[in-house]
Amino acid sequence: MDDGAEECVPTPSRELTQNPLKKIWMPCKKNGLPEKHIFQRKVCMTNCPTLIVTVGLPARGKTYISKKLTRYLNWIDVPTKEFNVGQYRRECVKIYKSFEFFRPDNEEGLKIRKQCASAALNDVRQYLTEEDGQVAVFDATNTTRERRETIKRFAEQNGFKVFFVESVCEDPDVIAENIVQVKLGSPDYIHCNTEQAVEDFMKRIKCYENSYEPLDEVLDRELSFIKIIDVGRRYLVNRVQDHIQSRIVYYLMNIHITPRSIYLCRHGESDLNVKGRIGGDSGLSDRGKEFACCLAQFIHSQDIPDLKVWTSQMKRTIQTAEALGVPYEQWKALNEIDAGVCEELMYEEIQLRYPLEFALRDQDKYRYRYPKGESYEDLVQRLEPVIMELERQENVLVICHQAVMRCLLAYFLDKTAEELPYLKCPLHTVLKLTPVAYGCKVESIFLKIDAVNTHRERPENVDVTRMTEEALLTVPAHQ
Amino acid sequence: MTRELTQNKIQKTWVASKDERAASPRKSGGGPHLANPPTVIVMVGLPARGKTYISRKLTRYLNWVGMPTKVFNVGEYRREAVKHYSSYDFFKADNKEAVKIREQCALAALRDVKTYLTEMGGQVAVFDATNTTRARRDMILEFGAENDFKIFFIESVCDDPNVIATNIMEVKVSCPDYQDCNKTDAMEDFQKRIECYRKSYQPLDPDDYDRKLSFIKVIDVGRRFLVNCVQDHIQSRIVYYLMNIHVQPRSIYLCRHGESLHNLQGRLGGDSGLSVRGKKFSSALAKFVEEQNLKDLKVWTSQLRRSIQTAEALDVPYEQWKALNEIDAGVCEEMTYEEVRKRFPEEFALRDQDKYYYRYPSGESYQDLVQRVEPLIMELERQENVLVVCHQAVMRCLLAYFLDKSADEMPYLKCPLHTILKLTPVAYGCKVESISLNVEAVNTHRDRPEEVKRGPVTLIRRNSVTPLTSHEPVKKPRVDALDDHVNPELPPAPLTFCAATNNSLTLSTQNLKRCVTESRDLPRLC
């Protein structure tokens, strides 16, 4: 077999060194320090920044989509920011008088609006070129071809890809509901009563209608866009260019606006919780079992139509769900963060055996990966399909774990990577999330069964040279 | 009060059951129930629009992610009923007798669809035919309503003459209908066949007649899509999949990292570096990649040291994916098989019993791997030329997707060290070339143990079905119980030919088997 085989002298390839925080292997320079450019697979491998441009008459959900999409992209680690031109206009024109401002023959109004659009685009440019932004969402009506051409030119000049998201809807009920939900409470209508506000806003919409040039299959066939029709009943998707656009389309096709609530809670207190140990696959303590019963009563009392119940594949969440007496689905993706070599240890033991690891974790809890385990960053990637399915669903109760619940909560409440690992998710407490306006209402319901506290705050001293006492200062009490 | 939980010994999932024997929830592996009522996917479009291509690819994907799916191609039923195809006259709208036969074939296929979905554990049936008239589609909708099946239409619309001509050359001229014709005659006849359908073609109309139906219209091979009334998770996934696939020619190269220090010791898992021979392989790989002279090759690795070290030798940018990491052997990590057998004899035996579903304690199963690796498959579909430097179990998963291998076959696919598999899509399947780089390495493959071996294999992969009315002596089986245990093993239909390899000596037996059955299994579906 070896006959004729050529001698392949291995070229002295670069040495690999493992980043101590994320446990990623990277090539290093002679002096042992890591090379700069390391490709770690992230979600979005687009070479150039992307400009998402909303299109549509007022009250078609453009801002709702912009904010939600921005929240999603940031959660999956794609730095995204929205730029709402209406906001720039409110900065410029301190007081909103009436719909007259938006009349197509109002020269001064037009001038101001154009300036605001330009100012916003300027900020977009800065965000994408100087502030490490990857995606910018330009939220405005952009209803004329002319305006869209301008934006397209701007993007080309700066090397940005453009993706249009148009929302088309003629259902008067949907539009009325939109106006009630988000326009009445807008700064523009602070001094109006409901009737006045609605009337003015309808006239505002009229101002745009005559000049509205929807994206067209033929005229705009070279553009990349998605046209959302009737709040998701139908979609027209044209020329998806890359991975991130494909993900955006998938996300937009899965979200809905049907009212519903998502209930998040952890499993009942477990035996390992009581001992102050992390991870593992133990069963519920007596109090945990009590909680499970209380949860059953609570759910029953809420009288939730068609509730889906999801658990992880770990014993403690399943035991909790069992008490509900309803069918539930097990997701491996909902399993608690894998603590690798630290599984089933107490914090005191981790400090004793792996003081360096313990310090690194406090330094950057989001990106820190346990040796042979996972990081919060890994968790988010693992949980993404869960979020996608949660978006599709209606009423759902998710029984999971501390780190997992923090990740899910961060998605719904738009928390940053820095805040995420320190969100408070105590045992025996249900968080009820209800989408409202542009965000999410949270209700916290403690089911009155005592449990240990498993929340460890970030200590003051995160240096690797710190004393044991300093490291263990914030460890919660346990047996 | 609450039911006791027991842990299923193979999958390590917790199940509530009254008796000692823990039930094995096969279907609810790692994720939720994807589709409750069964779904019938109905293809729509003129001939040569890629309906069968889409049907087969989609079926392959759905089966791979664990959703039992089967294609029912009406053309095949027609070939059973009308032994010899004479000419396009058969398809003329005024050929009364032919029209009758064609309708009967459609009904026969629908009957089989019903059997598959109601009695054989199927979840999705793909009804592959032109279905170009409203009358036909209404009939199918009625069929769906009667049986409580969800209906989802996939229409392929394309008027680019180049695309159509290419399709005809790729899959029509070599189809059984034209085995006695030369290419030009076949092409001409087929074009006339298309014309027969064109007059009566009623495309899906989202604005009016069909506005309540669930469907996706694929326009110009994926340039544009119209998606209407997606009902559930599985339809959403199907839409996402269809929007990510393309038909650009390209190749996917799969290989494992170079031989590692753990490999030399016969140890599982871990995160060791390359052995001397492993480094030699990396250099050889670099040379090979250069010789392939590809434009724009993407290189992907896992986050384990040995695959990164291998990629480093290529001296090109590469991307690290955690999802490509080797299967987590849990408590067995870094042990040799001998050590596992000594310390965990029961686990060792269980794994051999059901290697696909078996999950290492505190580790993963092949089934978990599939779920983990799925986003990668999606991205591979989007990409063009890619080299994936990964690991044995992961490579088996990926290979099973491309070569349409069943869950039963997957954990035993041969993926030796220092061997590259070059996959090139062709016709309805995938051409595989196995290239050994002639650097010796240990063999890490464990065959299915004798005691558990399946009987002699005579059955073909269950993805397509020979109609019951067929006179064929060897029918593709109607498996009575879709129990994954009795998955018959045979080379898959989609593999259209065995390519020349650089080193025929290194062809594994599995490849050789494939070559032998080639002649019987030409692409038959039109």
Side-chain angles (χ1 to χ4, degrees):
Chain A
M1 197 87 79
D2 256 321
D3 296 338
E6 287 175 83
E7 259 291 89
C8 291
V9 177
T11 48
S13 36
R14 304 181 285 185
E15 279 302 305
L16 290 180
T17 182
Q18 194 178 42
N19 166 291
L21 182 79
K22 296 172 77 160
K23 311 300 189 291
I24 304 276
W25 289 101
M26 313 188 298
C28 60
K29 305 192 275 241
K30 290 270 160 59
N31 56 13
L33 290 176
E35 288 272 6
K36 274 270 175 62
H37 56 282
I38 182 60
F39 288 96
Q40 190 212 332
R41 177 66 204 185
K42 283 196 164 216
V43 155
C44 164
M45 274 298 155
T46 186
N47 299 329
C48 46
T50 304
L51 176 60
I52 297 177
V53 181
T54 61
V55 179
L57 293 173
R60 262 57 176 182
K62 297 183 303 297
T63 302
Y64 175 82
I65 289 170
S66 299
K67 287 185 183 269
K68 205 169 159 77
L69 187 57
T70 300
R71 175 162 58 89
Y72 168 69
L73 291 174
N74 277 311
W75 186 74
I76 60 171
D77 230 346
V78 178
T80 306
K81 196 165 167 189
E82 31 136 4
F83 298 84
N84 176 284
V85 174
Q87 206 124 299
Y88 283 73
R89 187 259 307 158
R90 270 184 282 275
E91 288 295 302
C92 203
V93 182
K94 292 299 167 195
I95 299 170
Y96 174 77
K97 296 216 191 80
S98 80
F99 78 95
E100 307 267 353
F101 181 82
F102 290 96
R103 286 176 61 156
D105 54 1
N106 180 339
E107 295 264 345
E108 199 186 309
L110 279 174
K111 193 157 154 235
I112 294 174
R113 287 156 69 196
K114 211 157 173 196
Q115 277 171 354
C116 289
S118 297
L121 283 180
N122 248 334
D123 287 352
V124 161
R125 187 210 331 261
Q126 184 162 331
Y127 177 67
L128 294 179
T129 52
E130 295 167 37
E131 293 174 27
D132 287 328
Q134 280 243 267
V135 178
V137 183
F138 187 67
D139 178 18
T141 49
N142 299 316
T143 38
T144 61
R145 202 153 270 128
E146 191 202 333
R147 170 56 58 88
R148 298 194 291 265
E149 256 312 298
T150 311
I151 297 169
K152 216 178 130 213
R153 269 197 308 267
F154 161 83
E156 271 157 29
Q157 280 162 9
N158 290 287
F160 305 150
K161 285 186 184 174
V162 186
F163 187 72
F164 293 94
V165 176
E166 181 177 26
S167 174
V168 174
C169 179
E170 289 315 316
D171 184 338
D173 292 332
V174 173
I175 295 164
E177 182 60 26
N178 279 2
I179 296 176
V180 167
Q181 279 254 331
V182 296
K183 302 298 180 186
L184 298 183
S186 137
D188 291 345
Y189 296 111
I190 256 178
H191 302 295
C192 298
N193 69 40
T194 306
E195 264 153 37
Q196 292 169 328
V198 171
E199 197 187 318
D200 184 271
F201 201 82
M202 297 302 283
K203 291 198 183 126
R204 207 153 114 176
I205 297 178
K206 273 262 168 303
C207 294
Y208 285 88
E209 262 169 20
N210 286 340
S211 59
Y212 182 21
E213 295 169 290
L215 286 170
D216 182 74
E217 273 184 75
V218 177
L219 295 173
D220 298 303
R221 65 183 175 285
E222 298 298 318
L223 301 181
S224 296
F225 66 83
I226 177 172
K227 198 192 264 271
I228 304 171
I229 299 149
D230 290 337
V231 203
R233 156 145 302 142
R234 195 188 315 165
Y235 305 91
L236 185 69
V237 180
N238 199 61
R239 286 196 189 255
V240 169
Q241 297 172 30
D242 60 17
H243 175 99
I244 193 66
Q245 290 180 17
S246 164
R247 291 286 287 271
I248 288 166
V249 165
Y250 186 43
Y251 182 71
L252 291 176
M253 298 201 327
N254 281 319
I255 60 182
H256 68 76
I257 53 166
T258 312
R260 49 85 169 249
S261 289
I262 294 169
Y263 298 79
L264 300 181
C265 73
R266 291 166 67 187
H267 52 83
E269 184 192 66
S270 74
D271 288 327
L272 284 181
N273 284 146
V274 172
K275 300 196 175 107
R277 295 185 175 281
I278 62 174
D281 193 15
S282 60
L284 298 179
S285 67
D286 285 330
R287 297 194 297 193
K289 289 175 183 161
E290 267 187 78
F291 164 73
C293 291
C294 278
L295 181 65
Q297 275 169 17
F298 169 73
I299 293 297
H300 196 77
S301 72
Q302 289 274 299
D303 209 10
I304 308 154
D306 267 333
L307 177 72
K308 296 260 162 75
V309 179
W310 294 354
T311 70
S312 70
Q313 285 190 348
M314 296 183 140
K315 189 174 189 185
R316 51 200 187 276
T317 57
I318 298 167
Q319 258 184 303
T320 309
E322 274 287 310
L324 304 178
V326 297
Y328 54 89
E329 291 177 28
Q330 298 186 17
W331 290 71
K332 186 172 191 275
L334 283 171
N335 279 8
E336 182 56 315
I337 192 171
D338 184 356
V341 301
C342 298
E343 278 283 318
E344 307 209 35
L345 297 185
M346 294 189 275
Y347 287 118
E348 293 85 341
E349 288 168 344
I350 301 176
Q351 167 62 19
L352 191 64
R353 299 198 218 176
Y354 309 102
L356 171 65
E357 295 293 330
F358 203 47
L360 285 173
R361 187 158 206 253
D362 283 336
Q363 280 174 25
D364 193 344
K365 198 172 173 189
Y366 181 75
R367 274 166 257 283
Y368 171 82
R369 186 185 279 169
Y370 281 105
K372 306 204 175 152
E374 293 177 304
S375 61
Y376 272 94
E377 200 176 5
D378 295 327
L379 257 195
V380 162
Q381 207 179 28
R382 197 200 327 135
L383 285 170
E384 199 264 350
V386 176
I387 287 292
M388 199 61 91
E389 190 54 23
L390 272 173
E391 285 294 345
R392 289 198 58 81
Q393 292 289 342
E394 296 187 16
N395 292 316
V396 187
L397 164 65
V398 184
I399 303 173
C400 54
H401 306 265
Q402 183 165 251
V404 169
M405 186 163 159
R406 285 170 171 156
C407 287
L408 298 177
L409 199 58
Y411 167 75
F412 288 108
L413 303 185
D414 202 16
K415 298 294 185 184
T416 63
E418 281 62 48
E419 300 169 290
L420 193 163
Y422 296 100
L423 293 175
K424 284 211 167 76
C425 295
L427 286 165
H428 299 186
T429 306
V430 178
L431 291 184
K432 177 178 176 181
L433 305 164
T434 313
V436 73
Y438 293 138
C440 224
K441 181 172 94 171
V442 197
E443 289 167 64
S444 172
I445 306 122
F446 173 56
L447 292 189
K448 297 199 168 61
I449 306 287
D450 280 333
V452 294
N453 172 26
T454 58
H455 187 93
R456 183 175 163 267
E457 284 294 351
R458 186 176 196 262
E460 276 215 40
N461 191 344
V462 298
D463 208 82
V464 304
T465 58
R466 64 189 177 178
M467 311 287 280
T468 299
E469 304 83 61
E470 293 174 289
L472 298 178
L473 208 56
T474 54
V475 173
H478 58 85
Q479 246 173 33
Chain B
M1 205 181 30
T2 36
R3 302 184 288 180
E4 272 307 302
L5 291 180
T6 41
Q7 195 177 39
N8 168 289
K9 286 192 194 297
I10 291 200
Q11 293 181 289
K12 309 299 189 293
T13 40
W14 290 99
V15 199
S17 60
K18 293 245 158 71
D19 44 8
E20 281 303 313
R21 174 186 52 86
S24 65
R26 273 300 147 77
K27 287 205 179 121
S28 68
H33 282 273
L34 293 180
N36 290 332
T39 304
V40 182
I41 296 176
V42 182
M43 304 303 299
V44 179
L46 293 174
R49 261 58 176 181
K51 298 186 298 298
T52 301
Y53 175 82
I54 291 172
S55 299
R56 294 180 69 162
K57 204 170 159 78
L58 186 58
T59 298
R60 175 163 59 89
Y61 169 71
L62 291 174
N63 276 310
W64 184 76
V65 297
M67 174 124 298
T69 307
K70 210 173 213 129
V71 179
F72 296 82
N73 174 282
V74 175
E76 206 153 284
Y77 285 71
R78 189 260 305 160
R79 268 182 286 277
E80 281 305 319
V82 181
K83 283 304 162 194
H84 176 68
Y85 174 76
S86 46
S87 82
Y88 76 95
D89 287 316
F90 182 83
F91 291 96
K92 280 165 110 157
D94 54 6
N95 183 340
K96 287 212 165 78
E97 197 187 303
V99 164
K100 196 157 154 236
I101 293 174
R102 288 159 67 197
E103 183 161 333
Q104 280 171 352
C105 289
L107 291 172
L110 283 179
R111 272 197 301 274
D112 287 353
V113 161
K114 180 174 172 178
T115 309
Y116 176 68
L117 296 179
T118 52
E119 298 168 35
M120 293 167 57
Q123 278 263 260
V124 179
V126 182
F127 188 66
D128 179 16
T130 49
N131 298 316
T132 38
T133 60
R134 281 185 186 157
R136 174 56 57 84
R137 297 195 294 262
D138 285 342
M139 188 258 281
I140 298 169
L141 284 166
E142 243 182 75
F143 164 81
E146 276 163 16
N147 293 289
D148 245 337
F149 300 152
K150 285 193 182 174
I151 306 282
F152 186 72
F153 294 93
I154 299 178
E155 180 176 29
S156 174
V157 174
C158 179
D159 288 311
D160 182 338
N162 292 328
V163 173
I164 294 161
T166 307
N167 280 0
I168 299 177
M169 285 311 287
E170 277 255 322
V171 295
K172 305 294 182 191
V173 300
S174 53
C175 127
D177 289 346
Y178 296 112
Q179 54 192 11
D180 301 317
C181 292
N182 68 47
K183 291 202 179 135
T184 333
D185 291 343
M187 170 78 85
E188 196 184 314
D189 184 272
F190 200 85
Q191 297 275 17
K192 292 200 181 119
R193 209 154 110 174
I194 297 177
E195 288 315 303
C196 295
Y197 284 90
R198 204 188 284 278
K199 281 195 205 80
S200 59
Y201 181 21
Q202 294 164 302
L204 287 171
D205 174 24
D207 293 317
D208 191 18
Y209 194 84
D210 301 306
R211 73 181 178 287
K212 296 227 168 97
L213 300 184
S214 298
F215 65 85
I216 178 170
K217 211 188 255 273
V218 179
I219 300 151
D220 289 338
V221 204
R223 165 141 307 153
R224 194 158 74 234
F225 302 92
L226 195 141
V227 180
N228 201 61
C229 289
V230 168
Q231 298 172 25
D232 59 18
H233 176 101
I234 192 62
Q235 291 179 15
S236 165
R237 288 282 285 274
I238 289 167
V239 165
Y240 186 44
Y241 183 71
L242 293 177
M243 297 202 324
N244 282 318
I245 61 180
H246 68 77
V247 294
Q248 297 309 317
R250 51 85 170 249
S251 289
I252 294 169
Y253 299 80
L254 301 181
C255 73
R256 291 166 67 186
H257 53 83
E259 183 190 68
S260 73
L261 296 170
H262 270 21
N263 286 145
L264 280 179
Q265 298 181 339
R267 294 192 175 281
L268 300 170
D271 194 16
S272 60
L274 298 180
S275 67
V276 171
R277 299 195 295 197
K279 289 179 183 161
K280 205 166 149 188
F281 165 73
S282 307
S283 304
L285 181 65
K287 196 152 170 288
F288 169 78
V289 168
E290 216 186 288
E291 282 164 7
Q292 290 286 296
N293 205 14
L294 297 156
K295 66 153 186 130
D296 275 338
L297 175 72
K298 295 260 162 73
V299 179
W300 293 355
T301 71
S302 70
Q303 285 187 353
L304 294 172
R305 187 181 189 178
R306 50 200 186 276
S307 73
I308 298 167
Q309 248 183 305
T310 309
E312 273 287 309
L314 304 177
D315 210 21
V316 296
Y318 55 87
E319 292 175 30
Q320 298 186 19
W321 293 71
K322 185 170 193 275
L324 280 173
N325 281 9
E326 181 56 316
I327 193 171
D328 184 356
V331 301
C332 301
E333 276 283 318
E334 314 214 44
M335 292 190 191
T336 61
Y337 282 115
E338 261 316 296
E339 286 167 2
V340 177
R341 191 207 297 266
K342 278 210 194 89
R343 285 214 245 166
F344 303 105
E346 200 187 354
E347 294 294 328
F348 194 72
L350 286 171
R351 186 156 206 252
D352 280 338
Q353 233 177 68
D354 203 342
K355 200 171 173 188
Y356 180 78
Y357 289 102
Y358 172 83
R359 185 185 282 167
Y360 281 104
S362 304
E364 294 177 303
S365 62
Y366 273 90
Q367 187 185 34
D368 294 328
L369 262 193
V370 164
Q371 210 185 22
R372 171 158 53 92
V373 146
E374 195 265 351
L376 245 127
I377 288 292
M378 203 59 93
E379 190 55 22
L380 272 173
E381 286 294 344
R382 292 197 57 82
Q383 293 289 341
E384 295 190 14
N385 293 318
V386 187
L387 164 65
V388 184
V389 181
C390 54
H391 306 266
Q392 183 165 249
V394 173
M395 185 163 159
R396 284 171 171 155
C397 268
L398 297 175
L399 199 58
Y401 166 74
F402 288 108
L403 302 186
D404 201 15
K405 296 294 190 179
S406 66
D408 196 60
E409 300 167 290
M410 186 195 294
Y412 296 102
L413 294 177
K414 286 212 167 72
C415 294
L417 286 165
H418 300 185
T419 307
I420 301 160
L421 291 184
K422 176 177 176 179
L423 305 164
T424 312
V426 72
Y428 293 135
C430 222
K431 180 173 96 170
V432 196
E433 292 169 64
S434 171
I435 305 126
S436 159
L437 292 193
N438 278 333
V439 178
E440 287 218 23
V442 294
N443 174 21
T444 57
H445 184 89
R446 271 187 81 245
D447 266 314
R448 198 193 296 267
E450 284 303 327
E451 316 87 64
V452 206
K453 255 204 174 97
R454 304 284 186 267
V457 288
T458 51
L459 306 173
I460 303 176
R461 173 96 174 109
R462 301 168 299 134
N463 265 0
S464 57
V465 174
T466 303
L468 280 171
T469 51
S470 164
H471 298 304
E472 237 181 59
V474 179
K475 294 188 194 179
K476 294 178 218 165
R478 200 155 265 85
V479 178
D480 289 313
L482 256 179
D483 182 348
D484 284 327
H485 261 302
V486 282
N487 238 324
E489 264 191 73
L490 202 97
L495 187 65
T496 53
F497 42 103
C498 202
T501 64
N502 297 4
N503 248 312
S504 53
L505 285 172
T506 58
L507 265 180
S508 63
T509 15
Q510 143 201 333
N511 286 352
L512 280 173
K513 250 201 274 174
R514 235 184 266 130
C515 286
V516 164
T517 55
E518 236 47 89
S519 46
R520 270 198 274 134
D521 230 353
L522 289 170
R524 300 171 67 227
L525 307 172
C526 289

